[in-house]
Amino acid sequence: MCSTIAEANRIERDHAPTGFRVFSMADLFANKPKGDGLPPWNGGAVAWDELVTMEPQLKAMWDAIRLLRSPKRPASFCANRIWYDVFKPRLTQLVGWSCPRKNPALRSSKAWDTAYRKLYDALPDCPDCGCF
């Protein structure tokens, strides 16, 4: 069972589709073209099912997060620490403004909001870590 950030990283890697490549935030921002000419997303909210169809790695992330729901988590388990250290950096590569994909729907704040809420809400509550 996952009790450290290293184990959470392993779970995410093990459930990622083949060909999955992790970029550092520095790589993403250094290589993000300015004014790439893509049209803005004007389609409104993007449903979770639509996001998973466009970006299947989101489902892999959701599956990895669901594995953290074991009742045998240590008292020191902190969902927020794992979210901010492991899952949120990966999410920035899949949807939202820093997404390197060319799909305007994936690069929208609407996609970010939907994905962030779905994935973050799937995390188990912290038992007694004191983060709140």
Side-chain angles (χ1 to χ4, degrees):
M1 184 61 247
C2 176
S3 62
T4 67
I5 291 172
E7 289 172 63
N9 280 328
R10 182 190 51 75
I11 289 170
E12 185 183 31
R13 272 193 315 275
D14 291 348
H15 289 83
T18 306
F20 164 91
R21 180 172 175 222
V22 175
F23 295 91
S24 71
M25 291 303 292
D27 289 338
L28 286 174
F29 288 112
N31 297 318
K32 184 168 174 64
K34 304 273 190 261
D36 56 13
L38 294 173
W41 173 248
N42 294 320
V46 182
W48 173 253
D49 292 339
E50 295 170 318
L51 285 175
V52 169
T53 300
M54 291 184 281
E55 181 50 81
Q57 291 181 45
L58 289 169
K59 174 69 166 75
M61 279 184 69
W62 189 81
D63 290 340
I65 288 171
R66 298 294 294 172
L67 290 175
L68 297 172
R69 294 191 151 272
S70 167
K72 296 183 180 183
R73 286 185 312 277
S76 62
F77 173 85
C78 179
N80 284 318
R81 182 179 58 150
I82 289 174
W83 173 255
Y84 288 108
D85 290 346
V86 178
F87 293 109
K88 186 179 176 190
R90 179 70 188 125
L91 183 61
T92 64
Q93 298 171 31
L94 302 177
V95 297
W97 294 344
S98 62
C99 172
R101 300 274 301 272
K102 300 294 183 189
N103 183 325
L106 284 175
R107 295 169 54 147
S108 71
S109 59
K110 301 292 186 180
W112 174 262
D113 293 344
T114 298
Y116 191 105
R117 185 56 38 212
K118 177 74 173 183
L119 296 170
Y120 185 81
D121 287 350
L123 284 166
D125 292 333
C126 299
D128 193 22
C129 74
C131 69
F132 290 103

